[in-house]
């Protein structure tokens, strides 16, 4: 999805954001987006690391009576 934007598209998005939010709000928005991405990556890593030990442990076979 984002592969097709290119440099001109990014510049256009930044100009529109500057017009809408103004220069004083852009650093705050950038910080909020950065912290959101950081928290998302952290939670994703935690979920993946929680699932890996479960996959590596052999399953106990149940014996049929």
């Amino acid at each position: 999805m984002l592969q097709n934007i290119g440099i001109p598209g990014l510049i256009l998005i930044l100009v529109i954001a500057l017009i809408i939010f103004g220069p004083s709000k852009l650093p705050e928005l950038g910080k909020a987006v950065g912290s959101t991405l950081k928290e998302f990556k952290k939670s994703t890593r935690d979920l993946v690391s929680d699932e890996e030990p479960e996959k590596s442990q052999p399953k106990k076979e149940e014996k049929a009576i």
Side-chain angles (χ1 to χ4, degrees):
M1 184 174 131
L2 294 176
Q3 297 169 350
N4 297 331
I5 291 178
I7 299 296
L10 288 175
I11 292 173
L12 180 64
I13 291 170
L14 289 174
V15 168
I16 291 172
L18 183 63
I19 291 170
I20 292 174
F21 298 110
S24 62
K25 291 285 185 180
L26 284 182
E28 294 173 18
L29 288 173
K31 185 177 178 181
V33 169
S35 64
T36 302
L37 286 175
K38 182 179 176 182
E39 185 64 30
F40 178 75
K41 287 180 181 180
K42 180 183 172 191
S43 62
T44 303
R45 278 189 221 120
D46 289 344
L47 286 174
V48 170
S49 66
D50 286 345
E51 291 177 3
E52 286 177 359
E54 293 173 2
K55 290 180 180 177
S56 64
Q57 294 176 352
K59 293 182 179 179
K60 294 182 182 178
E61 294 181 21
E62 295 180 16
K63 294 182 181 179
I65 300 177

